[in-house]
Amino acid sequence: MSIHKNKVTGKWDAYSYYYDYTGKRKQKHKSGFAKKRDAQDWERQFNLKKDRNLDMTFEVFVEMYMTNEEKRVKCSTFLTKQHIIEKKILPYFKERKLKEITAADIIEWQNELISFKNAKGKGLSQDYLRIIHAQLSAIFNHAVNLYGLAALSEVRCRLFVS
């Protein structure tokens, strides 16, 4: 775990060491950071991801989730998931820490989606709202089942039923 300034490029490099699933020590290197703070943030998020610490941001956890899902579902299903997550879920929860998202936050997000109107004044259909919520539920179920996140049991998909 170290941060160095590259003398050739003038940019910051971050190095982090970890043990893979076989127990071998590996090094992860990322370069090209304009600020030292950016390199330190990357290193911190990388270590949280490797330690499976739920103190990571929602965006970092979604990266892990999508990497896992990409190998388990068909390409078209993966692209649909990716679109919904990038356009409807990440803009709202991106910078939040995973373990700090509450049921009240999810209800606010749902209310925002319900009240959304496009340029023609049309809202999202009930079926589409359920599909969006199912993607968020899948992400949190993944965190609960594999990473030990405390379940948000109060939040169920009843809010989108008209």
Side-chain angles (χ1 to χ4, degrees):
M1 295 184 275
S2 65
I3 310 285
H4 300 289
K5 190 162 192 172
N6 187 321
K7 293 178 180 166
V8 175
T9 64
K11 303 272 183 175
W12 290 92
D13 296 345
Y15 297 87
S16 189
Y17 296 93
Y18 66 97
Y19 291 94
D20 69 2
Y21 68 96
T22 64
K24 291 183 183 175
R25 186 178 165 151
K26 301 269 184 164
Q27 178 186 34
K28 181 72 174 174
H29 170 244
K30 180 134 175 144
S31 59
F33 295 101
K35 298 177 184 174
K36 183 176 182 179
R37 184 182 322 149
D38 296 337
Q40 290 170 332
D41 287 343
W42 177 86
E43 181 187 34
R44 185 173 30 265
Q45 289 298 327
F46 178 79
N47 290 333
L48 289 172
K49 190 187 316 184
K50 279 297 160 199
D51 294 341
R52 301 202 186 304
N53 187 331
L54 295 174
D55 214 21
M56 68 182 86
T57 64
F58 185 78
E59 179 181 27
V60 170
F61 184 78
V62 166
E63 278 179 32
M64 292 171 45
Y65 170 75
M66 292 303 285
T67 301
N68 187 44
E69 286 296 297
E70 187 173 18
K71 297 171 180 89
R72 300 181 188 296
V73 297
K74 288 166 99 176
C75 182
S76 60
T77 303
F78 177 77
L79 292 174
T80 301
K81 281 180 172 284
Q82 187 178 34
H83 173 78
I84 290 171
I85 289 169
E86 286 177 1
K87 299 295 182 188
K88 304 297 182 195
I89 299 173
L90 273 182
Y92 195 83
F93 297 110
K94 186 179 201 171
E95 298 299 322
R96 304 283 306 273
K97 288 191 177 183
L98 184 64
K99 69 180 188 178
E100 293 176 357
I101 297 173
T102 65
D105 297 328
I106 294 172
I107 290 169
E108 286 178 34
W109 167 74
Q110 289 173 334
N111 289 337
E112 229 177 83
L113 289 176
I114 290 169
S115 63
F116 172 79
K117 302 284 187 228
N118 66 12
K120 296 180 182 178
K122 288 189 135 194
L124 303 173
S125 73
Q126 290 297 314
D127 288 337
Y128 191 52
L129 289 171
R130 276 192 280 279
I131 290 168
I132 296 169
H133 183 78
Q135 290 304 320
L136 183 65
S137 291
I139 293 167
F140 279 111
N141 286 339
H142 186 76
V144 168
N145 296 333
L146 298 176
Y147 295 90
L149 178 69
L152 297 170
S153 59
E154 323 73 87
V155 180
R156 295 292 174 232
C157 196
R158 300 225 162 104
L159 295 171
F160 285 147
V161 179
S162 54

